[in-house]
C-alpha cells in the first residue's frame, strides 16, 4: 500500500509538472505570435517621444501586439544616439518619427538591415527629413531617407518640399477613389488637423504610391495648393509602407487620425483592419515650439 501511494504521488507530480510546462510553452507561443512593432522617435518639435508610447500602449491593450518605443538619448534634442535599435532585428514593423538625426554608423546599420529585409515601414511628418549629415559625410545618402524608405521627398526643400506657415492648419479629406482602402476604414469624411500642410507635389509621393488623404491649407502664409497628406507605397525591397505628413501632437486628439494610425499598423503588417474600433485614445500631448 505504501509503495502504491508513492507511485501515485510521483505520477501526480509528473502530471502537474507536465501541465505547467505545457502552459508555459503555450504562453510563450502566444507571445511569439503577437507582432512586434518598434517605434523609433526623436524629432525636436512634435513630442513623438510622448505621442508614440500612447499609440504603442493602445496597440498592446486592445489590438494584440507587442511594442517597443525607442527614444533619442539623453533627450529629444540629442541627434546622435538612439539606444536599442538592435530591437529592429526582431521587429515585424518599424514606425519612424524622426527629424534631422546624425546617428553613428553602427546604429544606422540596424535601420539599413531592416529596410533591406523587406519588412513594412511607417513614417510620420518630419521623417521625410529624418537625417541631416553634413556634405562629404560617409552617411550623407541617409539624408534622402524620406525618398527611399517612405516614397516622400528625400530631405527638406527637395522637390519644393516646404510648408504653409506655423499659423496655418489643414482640412483633411478622403480621396474618394480609395474610400474602400483598409487604411481608411471608419474614416468617411475626413477631419481637421493642426499640422500645417507640407507641400510635396509635384515630384512626390513617388510613382507607384496610392494617395489616401488630401490636405487643404487653412490660413496659409503664401499661395497654397492641395497636397496629399497620407499614402501607401512599397519599398524597393518589397515592404509595405504607410506615410503621413501629419503628426502635430494635436492631430492625435482627432479620432480620424487615431483610426488612421491603428488601421495603418494593421495594414502594413498584412493583418485585417479591426472591424470594431476600441474607442478614442486619451492623448492630449502638448506641442513643443521650436
Amino acid at each position: 500500500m505504501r509503495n502504491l501511494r508513492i507511485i501515485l504521488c510521483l505520477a501526480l507530480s509528473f502530471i502537474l509538472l507536465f501541465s505547467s510546462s505545457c502552459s508555459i510553452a503555450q504562453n510563450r507561443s502566444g507571445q511569439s505570435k503577437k507582432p512586434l512593432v518598434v517605434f523609433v522617435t526623436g524629432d525636436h518639435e512634435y513630442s513623438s517621444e510622448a505621442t508614440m508610447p500612447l499609440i504603442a500602449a493602445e496597440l498592446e491593450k486592445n489590438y494584440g501586439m507587442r511594442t517597443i518605443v525607442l527614444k533619442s538619448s539623453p533627450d529629444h534634442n540629442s541627434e546622435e544616439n538612439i539606444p536599442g535599435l538592435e530591437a529592429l532585428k526582431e521587429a515585424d514593423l518599424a514606425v519612424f518619427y524622426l527629424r534631422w538625426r546624425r546617428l553613428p554608423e553602427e546604429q544606422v546599420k540596424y535601420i539599413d538591415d531592416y529596410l533591406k529585409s523587406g519588412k513594412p515601414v511607417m513614417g510620420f511628418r518630419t521623417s521625410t527629413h529624418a537625417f541631416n549629415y553634413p556634405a562629404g559625410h560617409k552617411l550623407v545618402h541617409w539624408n534622402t531617407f524620406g525618398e527611399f524608405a517612405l516614397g516622400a521627398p528625400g530631405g527638406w526643400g527637395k522637390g519644393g518640399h516646404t510648408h504653409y506657415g506655423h499659423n496655418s492648419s489643414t482640412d483633411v479629406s478622403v480621396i474618394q477613389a480609395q474610400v474602400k482602402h483598409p487604411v481608411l476604414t471608419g474614416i468617411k469624411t475626413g477631419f481637421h488637423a493642426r499640422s500645417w500642410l507640407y507641400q510635396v507635389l509635384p515630384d512626390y509621393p513617388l510613382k507607384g504610391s496610392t494617395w489616401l488623404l488630401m490636405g487643404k491649407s487653412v490660413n496659409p502664409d503664401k499661395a497654397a495648393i492641395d497636397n496629399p497628406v497620407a499614402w501607401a507605397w512599397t519599398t524597393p525591397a518589397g515592404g509595405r509602407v504607410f506615410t503621413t505628413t501629419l503628426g502635430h501632437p494635436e492631430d492625435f486628439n482627432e479620432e480620424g487620425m487615431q483610426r488612421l494610425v491603428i488601421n495603418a499598423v494593421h495594414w502594413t503588417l498584412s493583418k485585417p483592419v479591426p472591424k470594431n474600433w476600441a474607442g478614442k485614445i486619451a492623448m492630449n500631448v502638448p506641442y513643443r515650439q521650436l
Side-chain angles (χ1 to χ4, degrees):
M1 181 63 71
R2 184 170 179 273
N3 289 339
L4 180 60
R5 287 177 179 171
I6 293 173
I7 292 172
L8 289 173
C9 286
L10 289 172
L12 180 59
S13 297
F14 176 78
I15 291 170
L16 290 173
L17 179 62
F18 180 76
S19 176
S20 177
S21 297
C22 287
S23 177
I24 292 171
Q26 288 172 354
N27 287 338
R28 287 177 177 171
S29 176
Q31 283 292 319
S32 66
K33 290 180 181 177
K34 291 183 177 182
L36 175 61
V37 183
V38 176
F39 294 80
V40 185
T41 71
D43 77 275
H44 300 107
E45 183 177 6
Y46 293 103
S47 302
S48 63
E49 76 285 349
T51 56
M52 294 298 102
L54 294 173
I55 296 295
E58 183 71 5
L59 291 171
E60 292 202 353
K61 179 182 178 182
N62 290 314
Y63 298 101
M65 299 188 186
R66 297 177 294 141
T67 64
I68 295 173
V69 181
L70 305 179
K71 303 178 182 182
S72 292
S73 178
D75 60 36
H76 61 280
N77 285 320
S78 304
E79 299 175 346
E80 300 180 359
N81 184 29
I82 300 179
L85 282 165
E86 60 271 17
L88 290 174
K89 293 190 292 185
E90 306 299 327
D92 297 294
L93 167 64
V95 180
F96 296 97
Y97 201 144
L98 298 173
R99 180 181 187 271
W100 285 344
R101 305 292 105 168
R102 296 188 309 278
L103 300 181
E105 186 174 8
E106 60 270 20
Q107 291 190 4
V108 171
K109 188 177 187 311
Y110 291 119
I111 300 174
D112 191 34
D113 288 346
Y114 181 87
L115 294 176
K116 288 176 178 176
S117 74
K119 291 181 180 180
V121 177
M122 283 179 60
F124 287 94
R125 200 157 175 79
T126 51
S127 295
T128 60
H129 42 293
F131 296 95
N132 189 32
Y133 293 100
H137 194 284
K138 65 186 302 183
L139 297 178
V140 71
H141 168 66
W142 282 85
N143 292 357
T144 63
F145 173 86
E147 184 166 305
F148 63 75
L150 304 174
W156 191 251
K158 184 170 183 179
H161 189 20
T162 184
H163 64 66
Y164 294 106
H166 289 73
N167 292 322
S168 64
S169 57
T170 303
D171 283 336
V172 178
S173 60
V174 172
I175 294 175
Q176 288 303 304
Q178 299 301 326
V179 69
K180 294 185 178 179
H181 194 287
V183 171
L184 298 178
T185 300
I187 307 169
K188 301 303 182 186
T189 59
F191 52 92
H192 185 75
R194 180 62 187 88
S195 287
W196 32 97
L197 180 64
Y198 275 9
Q199 180 173 324
V200 296
L201 296 174
D203 298 327
Y204 302 91
L206 287 180
K207 184 178 180 180
S209 63
T210 300
W211 300 7
L212 301 174
L213 295 175
M214 186 65 73
K216 181 179 183 64
S217 184
V218 178
N219 192 33
D221 65 355
K222 60 180 74 69
I225 61 172
D226 293 355
N227 275 263
V229 295
W231 59 87
W233 188 59
T234 304
T235 66
R240 280 188 174 187
V241 175
F242 171 79
T243 303
T244 179
T245 57
L246 304 176
H248 189 291
E250 291 180 22
D251 295 351
F252 293 102
N253 295 333
E254 297 293 327
E255 184 171 319
M257 180 68 171
Q258 293 181 8
R259 295 197 74 160
L260 181 75
V261 174
I262 297 298
N263 292 348
V265 168
H266 284 80
W267 178 79
T268 51
L269 284 165
S270 299
K271 293 175 65 66
V273 169
K275 293 182 180 178
N276 297 317
W277 171 239
K280 195 172 180 181
I281 310 163
M283 301 284 282
N284 300 313
V285 175
Y287 169 65
R288 184 189 297 114
Q289 181 70 51
L290 279 177

